[in-house]
């Protein structure tokens, strides 16, 4: 752990424990070598530096103003005004509107997606490979099953890929939410 990280985590621990005077003293001593943003970034890597700074302010720590050298030593990060923030949000919204799905390209992509899924299912999974092996055994005459029985794993693959292509298309079009199986297998959050 670097010296900056040690100082920053100590300040953070002092603030959380309620020792504001000691935290203030340590902060003021460390501003000769480090700046507030650097200390806040090193204090708690689980949260944003500005979240840490806000927590320090709420606890009563006196921090230098954001336009001083102690906060931004290179002065290349001025604070964002409300107008700039609104402009950026408007640009993002406009970008989302223009990136909506083109219906013609959407319909052209569907067969391609189905074919790619079928190829992946057939050659990438054990069910598809078993179907290929059974069909080859039927062709050379080693098994005397009906054709539809020998090709059953491949038929299953066609039905499965067709279903998944339609399901994905409905999801991409916004007509359907994520399915139960996807929610169950995604891990992390569970409803």
């Amino acid at each position: 752990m670097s010296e900056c990280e040690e100082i920053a985590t100590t300040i953070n621990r002092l603030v959380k424990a309620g020792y504001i005077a000691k935290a203030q003293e340590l902060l003021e001593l460390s501003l000769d070598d480090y700046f507030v943003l650097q200390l806040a970034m090193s204090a708690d890597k689980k949260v944003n530096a500005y979240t840490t700074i806000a927590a320090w302010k709420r606890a009563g720590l006196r921090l230098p103003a954001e336009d001083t050298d102690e906060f931004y030593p290179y002065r290349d990060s001025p604070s964002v005004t409300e107008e700039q923030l609104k402009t950026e949000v408007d640009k993002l919204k406009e970008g989302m509107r223009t990136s909506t799905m083109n219906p013609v390209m959407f319909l052209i992509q569907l067969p391609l997606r189905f074919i790619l899924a079928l190829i992946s299912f057939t050659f990438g999974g054990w069910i598809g490979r078993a179907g290929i092996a059974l069909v080859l055994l039927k062709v050379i005459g080693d098994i005397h099953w009906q054709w539809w029985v020998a090709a059953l794993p491949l038929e299953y693959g066609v039905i499965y890929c067709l279903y998944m292509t339609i399901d994905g298309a409905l999801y991409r079009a916004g007509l359907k939410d994520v399915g139960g199986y996807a929610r169950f297998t995604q891990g992390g959050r569970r409803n």
Side-chain angles (χ1 to χ4, degrees):
M1 182 181 282
S2 72
E3 182 186 31
C4 177
E5 289 174 330
E6 285 180 31
I7 293 170
T9 54
T10 304
I11 291 171
N12 210 32
R13 285 186 194 134
L14 289 171
V15 167
K16 287 181 180 178
Y19 298 112
I20 305 304
K22 288 194 180 278
Q24 185 70 45
E25 182 182 342
L26 184 58
L27 175 68
E28 289 171 2
L29 288 173
S30 63
L31 287 179
D32 293 335
D33 299 320
Y34 306 106
F35 52 99
V36 173
L37 200 56
Q38 183 180 14
L39 290 168
M41 287 181 350
S42 301
D44 190 355
K45 302 227 188 241
K46 295 178 185 173
V47 297
N48 185 320
Y50 290 100
T51 305
T52 303
I53 290 171
W56 288 354
K57 284 181 181 177
R58 275 194 308 273
L61 214 58
R62 289 182 319 279
L63 301 174
E66 290 189 22
D67 57 347
T68 61
D69 288 338
E70 291 84 13
F71 204 92
Y72 291 114
Y74 310 114
R75 294 191 187 258
D76 58 352
S77 301
S79 57
V80 179
T81 64
E82 296 257 345
E83 292 174 12
Q84 291 171 331
L85 186 61
K86 185 179 181 311
T87 305
E88 287 298 318
V89 169
D90 290 342
K91 284 181 187 176
L92 286 172
K93 285 180 182 177
E94 184 63 34
M96 289 178 70
R97 273 189 231 119
T98 58
S99 68
T100 56
M101 210 174 332
N102 182 354
V104 175
M105 286 303 295
F106 181 70
L107 291 174
I108 291 172
Q109 287 179 357
L110 279 178
L112 181 64
R113 288 178 183 269
F114 169 74
I115 291 168
L116 291 174
L118 187 60
I119 290 170
S120 176
F121 179 89
T122 304
F123 296 106
W126 66 271
I127 296 175
R129 291 183 192 147
I132 291 171
L134 288 173
V135 169
L136 286 175
L137 289 173
K138 173 69 176 166
V139 168
I140 32 181
D142 281 352
I143 57 174
H144 301 289
W145 301 348
Q146 299 277 339
W147 275 104
W148 71 271
V149 175
L152 201 56
L154 298 177
E155 295 163 9
Y156 168 75
V158 169
I159 293 168
Y160 177 76
C161 290
L162 183 63
Y163 167 74
M164 293 308 288
T165 303
I166 292 169
D167 193 54
L170 290 173
Y171 175 74
R172 288 182 66 217
L175 301 173
K176 164 185 188 319
D177 196 12
V178 175
Y181 181 74
R183 274 193 302 275
F184 176 74
T185 58
Q186 78 179 359
R189 297 186 324 248
R190 300 210 192 269
N191 294 336

